């Protein structure tokens, strides 16, 4: 009689575990995946590669590097606020890598449709920002934007780039 009871309890426990496993399979959250989406998103996406500097500064802590980092961050943050645009993560360590190779990684690893690259040149306190915007497939840029001014003019230059990107992608800045 004791053995029959143990078998019944074991059967009930096994049945409860089977029901729990089926419920888990039915209601579990989707698995997180790394890499580009399995299906291309209709939402436009932009990856901002770290802005390159063309100056005589060699120190990582130079004013030019600080400004380059600020411009890169400002473009990422501003584009991230535009409704309907997905923006890739900041990858400051990529600044020393080949841009052509990075464009391949942007498309393959992140599934981004567009890429923004830029160069910043400082000459006697004047900054020139040149930005290329194009598809992440490595084809020639859709457009290039040039702007120049002092460091106080950089926010205006950044906003001009964001407006042009949103116009190219057909999304409105709200």
């Amino acid at each position: 009689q004791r053995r029959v009871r143990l078998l019944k309890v074991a059967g009930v426990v096994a049945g409860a575990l089977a029901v729990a496993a089926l419920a888990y399979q039915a209601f579990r959250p989707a698995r997180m995946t790394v890499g580009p989406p399995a299906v291309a998103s209709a939402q436009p996406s932009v990856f901002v590669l770290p802005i390159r500097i063309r100056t005589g500064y060699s120190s990582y802590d130079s004013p030019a590097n600080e400004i380059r980092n600020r411009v890169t961050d400002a473009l990422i943050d501003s584009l991230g606020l535009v409704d309907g645009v997905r923006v890739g993560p900041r990858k400051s360590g990529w600044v020393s890598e080949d841009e052509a190779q990075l464009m391949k990684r942007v498309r393959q690893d992140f599934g981004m449709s567009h890429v923004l690259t830029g160069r910043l040149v400082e000459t006697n306190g004047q900054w020139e920002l040149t930005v290329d915007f194009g598809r992440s497939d490595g084809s020639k840029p859709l457009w290039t934007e040039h702007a120049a001014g002092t460091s106080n003019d950089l926010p205006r230059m950044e906003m001009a780039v964001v407006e042009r990107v949103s116009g190219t992608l057909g999304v409105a800045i709200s």
Side-chain angles (χ1 to χ4, degrees):
Q1 199 177 26
R2 187 170 185 218
R3 193 173 197 177
V4 171
R5 231 190 230 161
L6 282 175
L7 287 173
K8 284 182 180 179
V9 169
V12 168
V13 169
L17 285 174
V19 168
L22 287 173
Y24 174 76
Q25 288 291 333
F27 297 108
R28 73 179 173 167
R31 290 184 179 209
M32 297 296 288
T33 57
V34 176
V39 177
S41 172
Q43 181 182 31
S45 55
V46 179
F47 200 103
V48 179
L49 291 178
I51 302 298
R52 312 284 173 140
I53 49 174
R54 306 276 190 242
T55 67
Y57 296 114
S58 59
S59 167
Y60 185 76
D61 295 329
S62 74
N65 280 312
E66 291 176 26
I67 289 176
R68 176 203 58 216
N69 291 338
R70 196 198 69 70
V71 170
T72 302
D73 287 342
L75 290 170
I76 292 169
D77 293 344
S78 296
L79 287 167
L81 295 174
V82 177
D83 286 336
V85 176
R86 184 170 60 100
V87 181
R90 180 163 175 25
K91 295 289 186 182
S92 56
W94 285 8
V95 72
S96 60
E97 295 185 36
D98 178 61
E99 279 189 356
Q101 292 299 318
L102 291 177
M103 285 196 196
K104 288 181 187 173
R105 287 182 67 186
V106 163
R107 186 161 191 82
Q108 292 170 352
D109 297 351
F110 296 96
M112 306 303 274
S113 61
H114 294 82
V115 66
L116 187 92
T117 62
R119 289 149 312 283
L120 196 56
V121 178
E122 187 267 338
T123 308
N124 299 324
Q126 292 290 308
W127 293 93
E128 182 181 338
L129 177 63
T130 303
V131 174
D132 295 323
F133 181 74
R135 290 182 175 66
S136 62
D137 61 6
S139 58
K140 75 178 200 174
L142 297 172
W143 52 259
T144 299
E145 179 86 20
H146 298 281
T150 67
S151 58
N152 291 335
D153 295 317
L154 286 170
R156 176 189 49 78
M157 295 179 210
E158 295 156 1
M159 192 60 199
V161 170
V162 171
E163 288 172 349
R164 190 148 182 206
V165 168
S166 65
T168 302
L169 297 176
V171 293
I173 298 176
S174 52

